[in-house]
Amino acid sequence: MAGADPRRLALLVSGTGRHLENLARLTQAGELDASVALVVASRPGIGALERAARLELPVWVLEGTRGVSPAELSTRIFERLDAEGCGTAVLAGWLKRLVLPPAWDGRVLNIHPSLLPAFGGQGFFGHHVHEAVLARGCKVSGCTVHYVDDEYDHGPILAQEAIRVQADDDAERLAARVFEAELEAYPAALRAHFARTPQP
Ligand code: GRF
């Protein structure tokens, strides 16, 4: 539904759900003018589901996805999002590849823990990103919010926050500071997205 309300969000999760919690709390506090219409979990048993339950969010858990192609899985997901009237899909620690239907172009956002296009793409997730940043001797890192296309970590960039790499950083310390920046960057990027996306 291209005419769906951009502020009706679907949050897609595969992990611990820290962004899910941050975004849901901001919407519930009225600090982010949006609502979480649906949480889509890529599999059962992930930490994000416990947070979603505590926050009383509607949840859809994908099961039996082994062997299902990214195209077929994406069709299932976006049909459901259309049926729920979701206008924007927010990838919040989502790890599966998506193939976007044309109507969803420019309506799916992702956050990545590096300054893309550096340290993005297949295999660059979690601690792998920060280890690679440190191994390369980078003096700055940060996070990127971008629109999703059919390649990992690739679509047009909406926002970036840079942070300094400290001489004594290890991957864990660096990850923690990048994540602090992410907590500000994602809601800010969503506000920017809403501002440029007409409401129906
Ligand atoms: C963050 O590092 C983010 O950049 C990446 O997933 C991580 C957050 O996952 N896309 P979660 O919200 O803790 O599940």
Side-chain angles (χ1 to χ4, degrees), residues 135-150:
R136 190 60 185 266
C138 296
K139 305 306 174 212
V140 289
S141 189
C143 63
T144 303
V145 182
H146 65 95
Y147 287 110
V148 171
D149 64 12
D150 290 352

Side-chain angles (χ1 to χ4, degrees), residues 14-20 91-94 110-113 130 179 182:
S14 301
T16 63
R18 292 170 300 165
H19 276 300
L20 170 149
L91 308 193
W94 174 260
N110 182 42
I111 189 159
H112 182 79
H130 307 292
F179 191 72
E182 291 184 34

Side-chain angles (χ1 to χ4, degrees), residues 131-174:
E131 279 161 8
V133 166
L134 292 172
R136 190 60 185 266
C138 296
K139 305 306 174 212
V140 289
S141 189
C143 63
T144 303
V145 182
H146 65 95
Y147 287 110
V148 171
D149 64 12
D150 290 352
E151 277 180 57
Y152 278 120
D153 304 323
H154 181 261
I157 290 172
L158 190 54
Q160 288 186 308
E161 277 302 322
I163 62 144
R164 235 166 239 297
V165 178
Q166 309 289 356
D168 61 347
D169 267 342
D170 59 15
E172 207 176 314
R173 275 197 294 271
L174 180 57

Side-chain angles (χ1 to χ4, degrees), residues 61-156:
V61 184
L62 297 171
E63 292 187 60
T65 59
R66 193 185 291 256
V68 178
S69 71
E72 196 186 329
L73 187 66
S74 301
T75 301
R76 272 192 217 166
I77 292 171
F78 287 104
E79 277 179 3
R80 175 76 184 260
L81 268 48
D82 283 334
E84 301 278 352
C86 296
T88 302
V90 179
L91 308 193
W94 174 260
L95 291 175
K96 282 187 176 292
R97 204 165 86 78
L98 293 171
V99 180
L100 265 51
W104 277 85
D105 193 25
R107 297 166 58 199
V108 184
L109 279 68
N110 182 42
I111 189 159
H112 182 79
S114 75
L115 295 173
L116 292 176
F119 305 107
Q122 191 142 22
F124 280 116
F125 61 90
H127 62 96
H128 300 292
V129 176
H130 307 292
E131 279 161 8
V133 166
L134 292 172
R136 190 60 185 266
C138 296
K139 305 306 174 212
V140 289
S141 189
C143 63
T144 303
V145 182
H146 65 95
Y147 287 110
V148 171
D149 64 12
D150 290 352
E151 277 180 57
Y152 278 120
D153 304 323
H154 181 261

